[in-house]
Every structure is written in C-alpha cells, then in structure tokens.
Amino acid sequence: LNQLINNKVEIDDDYNKSLSSFDKALDNYPTNDLVLDYLDYCANIYEDELIDDKKYRECYEKAITIAGLDIYTGIYIWKKYIEFEIDELEDVIEANGTISKSSEFISSKKRVISLYHRLFSLPLIGIEKELL
C-alpha cells in the first residue's frame, strides 16, 4: 500500500490531490509506516513552500492522532514535530537578532512548551533516549 501511495504521489503534480490520496489511505489503512511517509511528503511540500506553517502543523496533528500514541514508534512522530517547532522558534529569534518579547516569539515558545507537555503525559518508550 505504501508503494502504491508513493507512486501516485510521484505521478501527481497537484500536491492537493496527493494530500487527498494520503488522507484517504490514512483513513482506511492507518499504519505507522504510511504516517511517516505522509510526514515526509508534507515536509517536502512545506520546504517547496506549497503549504504554510498552519497546514504543516495540521499534518503533524493528523499524524499524532493516528500513530502518536503508539508506545514504540510514536516518539519518532513527536520528535519530528518538536524539531519543526524548535526550528520555527530559532527562525523567530534569528529574524529579531535576539530573544524578544514579541507576540510571534511568545506564540512560538508556547507551541514548543505545549508539545513537550503533551508528550511527557504519554507512556512512550524511548523518550529519554530521543529527546533528552
């Protein structure tokens, strides 16, 4: 199934159609491997600036809903999401030249803290190894 979706995504130039294909596949066959492929695709279209931060966060929230609670592999999804938000926070700091009290900085910092709070409330294996 993953190969079939990946082939369709490669053929499909319209990223919205590709996201729709992933959504349908995830609704019907929610596997951890497919979720990771979905996140990789979302990362690619985000880097190509085809989706914005909000849509990219929606990709992560969907992935967490589907596979983020898996005791063995959920940590990898959380780790990717936290790394994204930390990168966003660092971009805000870099853009301002310093740590500031701007609303953008405060919002970004709150998103990182919120993810850590959500993650640490879960019994996932590997938290210490992957994040600390």
Side-chain angles (χ1 to χ4, degrees):
L1 178 65
N2 288 4
Q3 186 63 37
L4 179 66
I5 293 294
N6 287 333
N7 287 344
K8 174 143 178 58
V9 167
E10 288 174 14
I11 294 169
D12 208 344
D13 291 334
D14 183 356
Y15 71 92
N16 282 318
K17 287 182 183 176
S18 297
L19 280 176
S20 178
S21 296
F22 267 115
D23 286 338
K24 288 176 186 173
L26 288 168
D27 288 343
N28 293 306
Y29 308 100
T31 66
N32 291 343
D33 288 339
L34 186 56
V35 168
L36 293 174
D37 288 342
Y38 168 72
L39 285 177
D40 287 342
Y41 180 72
C42 289
N44 289 334
I45 61 175
Y46 176 74
E47 288 171 10
D48 291 342
E49 298 181 357
L50 297 173
I51 59 174
D52 61 9
D53 294 349
K54 181 181 178 192
K55 181 64 178 173
Y56 195 36
R57 286 184 184 98
E58 289 173 8
C59 292
Y60 276 111
E61 290 296 333
K62 182 176 185 87
I64 285 173
T65 300
I66 294 169
L69 300 179
D70 183 280
I71 193 167
Y72 297 106
T73 60
I75 186 61
Y76 302 111
I77 296 166
W78 285 95
K79 181 180 177 183
K80 283 184 170 198
Y81 195 1
I82 289 170
E83 287 172 351
F84 163 71
E85 289 296 353
I86 288 173
D87 287 344
E88 291 295 300
L89 178 60
E90 289 172 350
D91 289 347
V92 169
I93 293 168
E94 184 177 309
N96 293 322
T98 184
I99 295 177
S100 69
K101 298 295 180 190
S102 71
S103 61
E104 187 180 17
F105 171 77
I106 293 168
S107 295
S108 188
K109 183 175 143 183
K110 283 182 180 180
R111 282 191 297 273
V112 171
I113 292 168
S114 174
L115 283 175
Y116 275 113
H117 280 277
R118 289 169 61 194
L119 172 61
F120 290 145
S121 70
L122 301 173
L124 302 178
I125 293 175
I127 289 177
E128 303 85 6
K129 178 182 165 195
E130 293 296 327
L131 297 177
L132 301 178

